[in-house]
Amino acid sequence: MIEIKNISKSFGKNNILKGIDLSINKGEVVVILGPSGSGKSTFLRCLNFLERADTGEISIDQTKVEFNKAKSKEILALRRKTAMVFQQYDLFHHKSAIENIVEGLIIARKIPKHKAYEIGMDLLDKVGLKEKRDAYPHQLSGGQQQRIGIARALALTPEVILFDEPTSALDPELVGETLDVIKKVAQTGVTMIIVTHEMSFAYEIADRVIFMEDGVIVEEGTPKEVFEQTREERTKQFLARFAYATR
């Protein structure tokens, strides 16, 4: 469903991604773990051209794009198949919850306004925020804002949703509500790539776990394989700090 080949990215003399290959099946939930600075978020951002990779290619279904040669039309076609949930929510501050969700449907997808609002209200209900339809971001908690961000991503009916550390900006007591919504999304069968530091969540939700460090994939496997039958010493060292994850 998704084929990523030889993706590399440098910022100046810093080689952030060093030729990553990855295949992801339709409906698979892939969780990427690793220390800060390992290239996880850069990798995710390259997949929908928020950053342009230096080399490599990506295919989603029949859409194939070479990173260093892609024209705007090809990038747009790829982006139509993806949606991103960001660390800092990235909501429009001057728009209400429902307006944030329907903006992409009305502007980018040209869906009639009344139909877009029907979709938006259904999604607000699914993330448990129907009563907040007219609230603005500053009137919402961080967890509520992130759930609006997830609803906005779902509205676009993407082939794959990319989650870039979706709980990293949340107060600890608000993390659970966001993770619960992501779990429900996973149960719908949408393909997901999730960068996170939430180890117990990764163990519970992932079909496959990838451990990255220094711009390469060090280890990958099922949650049981990576957490309980770890092969690589560096992965063991990283996971040792999160021994609670498999208890």
Side-chain angles (χ1 to χ4, degrees):
M1 188 264 185
I2 302 174
E3 289 286 341
I4 301 157
K5 297 181 180 178
N6 194 36
I7 182 171
S8 64
K9 175 66 179 176
S10 296
F11 294 101
K13 295 182 179 180
N14 294 323
N15 297 324
I16 306 300
L17 303 176
K18 302 174 182 177
I20 292 178
D21 297 321
L22 186 62
S23 297
I24 300 171
N25 297 319
K26 185 176 181 62
E28 189 174 17
V29 177
V30 175
V31 174
I32 303 176
L33 308 176
S36 297
S38 59
K40 309 182 300 299
S41 290
T42 299
F43 174 69
L44 213 62
R45 292 173 65 84
C46 283
L47 298 186
N48 69 346
F49 283 84
L50 290 174
E51 300 283 356
R52 185 183 280 263
D54 301 323
T55 66
E57 63 183 42
I58 179 172
S59 299
I60 301 179
D61 289 337
Q62 304 302 312
T63 302
K64 180 178 178 180
V65 181
E66 292 185 60
F67 288 110
N68 61 348
K69 297 180 180 178
K71 306 257 189 317
S72 58
K73 186 176 181 180
E74 295 174 300
I75 294 172
L76 179 60
L78 184 79
R79 283 179 172 166
R80 285 183 180 276
K81 293 181 176 291
T82 68
M84 189 103 169
V85 177
F86 298 90
Q87 296 179 34
Q88 299 290 342
Y89 329 131
D90 280 15
L91 300 180
F92 295 111
H93 295 295
H94 62 290
K95 292 185 180 294
S96 66
I98 186 68
E99 288 170 338
N100 266 281
I101 295 170
V102 304
E103 178 83 2
L105 294 175
I106 296 170
I107 302 301
R109 299 290 172 85
K110 309 300 183 185
I111 291 176
K113 192 172 182 179
H114 73 278
K115 180 61 177 176
Y117 272 78
E118 286 179 12
I119 294 170
M121 287 305 299
D122 181 59
L123 289 168
L124 276 174
D125 189 36
K126 287 181 178 177
V127 300
L129 291 173
K130 196 170 184 178
E131 77 285 357
K132 298 291 186 180
R133 61 161 287 164
D134 295 319
Y136 287 84
H138 74 274
Q139 298 171 313
L140 301 170
S141 70
Q144 290 171 335
Q145 290 185 62
Q146 192 60 289
R147 284 149 65 191
I148 297 298
I150 294 169
R152 178 179 60 184
L154 288 170
L156 299 173
T157 58
E159 297 291 332
V160 57
I161 302 180
L162 311 172
F163 292 83
D164 186 12
E165 299 193 22
T167 61
S168 66
L170 300 179
D171 292 333
E173 64 268 23
L174 300 177
V175 169
E177 65 185 49
T178 298
L179 295 183
D180 285 343
V181 169
I182 297 174
K183 290 174 188 175
K184 290 177 182 176
V185 174
Q187 292 168 2
T188 68
V190 65
T191 308
M192 299 163 67
I193 307 175
I194 306 171
V195 170
T196 185
H197 289 294
E198 299 287 340
M199 298 296 112
S200 55
F201 170 68
Y203 187 90
E204 181 179 351
I205 196 173
D207 297 306
R208 184 160 32 129
V209 174
I210 290 171
F211 176 70
M212 279 183 65
E213 185 174 54
D214 197 26
V216 299
I217 294 175
V218 176
E219 186 163 357
E220 66 177 291
T222 65
K224 185 176 182 65
E225 288 170 342
V226 172
F227 283 93
E228 300 178 26
Q229 301 164 8
T230 319
R231 299 186 304 273
E232 301 296 328
E233 185 58 35
R234 182 61 190 97
T235 315
K236 291 178 182 178
Q237 294 171 0
F238 178 79
L239 293 176
R241 294 179 295 153
F242 303 101
Y244 65 86
T246 57
R247 290 176 184 170

